[in-house]
Amino acid sequence: MESDMTWDMLEGLDELDHRIVHALQIDGRAPFRRIGEVLGVSDQTAARRYGRLRSSGMLRVVGLTDPHRIGVTPWVVRVRCTPDAAASVSEALARRTDTRWVSLISGGTEILCLVQTALAQRDDSLLLQKLPRTPRVVQVTAHAMLHIFFGKDLSPATKSGWLSPREVRALTVVDERPPAAESTEAYPLAAEDQPLLDALAVDGRTPAAELAEVTGWSQTTVRRRMAELRAAGVLYYDLDFDRRALQPALRAGLWLEVEPARLAEVGAALATHQEIAFAAATTGTANVYASVNCKDAGALYRYLTGPVAELPGIRRTETSPTHRTIKGASPLLAPGMTRLAEADRT
């Protein structure tokens, strides 16, 4: 459930800010020297602009792991609560390190989140066992995420953005990292990797010197291990946005029941839709989940009755508008985010 935004949804940013944001979406750890060369500005200007966005809490680069690549099954979980409990339950879920994309949906009476266990905690059912016993939780449904059609790593940059195709190529070709290894076996992460991954989940641009202090490794070892994880398709970078920086828009979850023979075809089609921020195949009667961004209710109606209605093999659809996002892409809340959430309620 990555990158739940569209490129024109950030408020208070000028053209250069947006171009830097797009560059970071393509490669979150790209040196500012390279970003500056591609965008036609100095590396100091690019660094200063990002530093301002980062220090204001508007956005941050986060380093994340592909759960399927390390042998962990993520779950899309829906929690229905009594109306007076949804806010407090959602904030409690947001404070957990095994949750991402915690949102209030359906008018604030339901919670949607992604549950993904950490490296050292392989018991996927731990949270799912606890939730039904939580007071004022009415119902819990969980859907294992089987395959991601769109929304991880470089894919958001393949739609629209503030950079030209030539600039996108310049930022991706220079990287020249090898493709992810094709293997059905889980990539062997070690317990020693966890401090590195935890630090990157808070700030994906943490300098190698600081990562060396956290891990106890040399800077050379840090850089080598990060390169190995990137090359293996384990580590990728995303942008985590302060929800208050996004322009008003209608964001919704889309649940589709698709004929199994058409599942891959529908997923591939959704990945090309401008409105789609994320799409995945899941278990359950509704076997496709997608995150949708539309300008307003009219735009959502046109999308549902147009591109969605034209998809082959659709048996049933369900939409659930997002009321408020409590937590974004990172498993770890950024420093100060709890205080921001509290201030948002007042």
Side-chain angles (χ1 to χ4, degrees):
M1 300 165 72
E2 321 293 342
S3 303
D4 195 7
M5 61 162 295
T6 55
W7 293 110
D8 59 351
M9 290 175 62
L10 292 172
E11 291 188 309
L13 273 64
D14 63 18
E15 181 178 351
L16 179 56
D17 287 332
H18 277 101
R19 285 165 59 78
I20 291 172
V21 169
H22 193 176
L24 291 170
Q25 184 72 57
I26 295 169
D27 184 351
R29 281 190 74 92
F32 287 119
R33 174 186 50 78
R34 191 205 311 172
I35 292 175
E37 289 175 353
V38 173
L39 303 189
V41 299
S42 68
D43 55 347
Q44 294 93 338
T45 296
R48 185 173 64 251
R49 289 295 187 104
Y50 172 70
R52 178 173 57 82
L53 297 173
R54 178 70 172 88
S55 61
S56 69
M58 182 172 288
L59 63 87
R60 57 174 171 150
V61 175
V62 291
L64 305 173
T65 54
D66 181 343
H68 293 123
R69 192 68 186 89
I70 61 175
V72 172
T73 300
W75 294 79
V76 181
V77 178
R78 300 177 70 172
V79 183
R80 191 153 58 90
C81 305
T82 56
D84 62 320
S88 60
V89 172
S90 66
E91 288 167 13
L93 287 172
R95 287 191 291 268
R96 295 181 60 98
T97 58
D98 55 357
T99 62
R100 302 179 186 181
W101 293 112
V102 180
S103 298
L104 289 173
I105 63 173
S106 306
T109 61
E110 192 174 1
I111 302 163
L112 178 69
C113 69
L114 178 68
V115 176
Q116 178 180 321
T117 57
L119 171 65
Q121 181 186 318
R122 297 291 187 178
D123 185 0
D124 296 319
S125 65
L126 183 59
L127 176 59
L128 304 182
Q129 290 174 351
K130 290 181 177 180
L131 276 172
R133 298 195 298 269
T134 303
R136 293 178 290 182
V137 169
V138 177
Q139 183 182 31
V140 178
T141 57
H143 307 262
M145 190 182 297
L146 305 178
H147 178 76
I148 296 175
F149 298 116
F150 182 83
K152 184 183 75 66
D153 208 359
L154 300 183
S155 53
T158 63
K159 292 189 178 179
S160 66
W162 289 79
L163 301 185
S164 68
R166 179 188 62 80
E167 290 169 327
V168 171
R169 286 194 300 271
L171 284 164
T172 55
V173 171
V174 173
D175 192 7
E176 293 183 344
R177 65 180 183 274
E182 292 291 337
S183 174
T184 58
E185 299 295 325
Y187 185 87
L189 283 177
E192 292 76 15
D193 291 313
Q194 198 62 53
L196 172 68
L197 298 175
D198 285 345
L200 292 173
V202 174
D203 185 353
R205 293 189 66 89
T206 301
E210 295 182 24
L211 293 173
E213 292 181 8
V214 169
T215 59
W217 301 339
S218 68
Q219 293 187 44
T220 300
T221 300
V222 165
R223 293 191 181 95
R224 183 175 63 247
R225 186 54 174 162
M226 291 172 63
E228 290 171 351
L229 295 177
R230 285 286 275 162
V234 173
L235 176 65
Y236 68 99
Y237 297 99
D238 199 359
L239 295 184
D240 201 13
F241 294 88
D242 179 357
R243 61 188 177 278
R244 296 172 300 179
L246 303 181
Q247 293 182 6
L250 181 56
R251 291 182 285 278
L254 175 63
W255 303 84
L256 301 176
E257 181 182 338
V258 182
E259 294 176 4
R262 298 282 196 167
L263 189 58
E265 182 180 359
V266 167
L270 287 172
T272 67
H273 292 181
Q274 190 64 39
E275 296 83 356
I276 295 296
F278 177 83
T282 67
T283 58
T285 303
N287 50 3
V288 171
Y289 169 78
S291 178
V292 179
N293 290 324
C294 291
K295 180 179 179 181
D296 51 32
L300 178 60
Y301 174 77
R302 290 188 293 274
Y303 176 62
L304 295 175
T305 57
V308 174
E310 295 169 0
L311 293 172
I314 303 295
R315 295 172 175 170
R316 185 178 65 87
T317 65
E318 177 188 354
T319 55
S320 51
T322 300
H323 177 66
R324 181 159 62 100
T325 299
I326 311 299
K327 183 182 184 180
S330 176
L332 303 173
L333 285 171
M337 288 304 293
T338 301
R339 295 192 298 275
L340 288 173
E342 292 171 351
D344 194 44
R345 295 199 306 272
T346 59

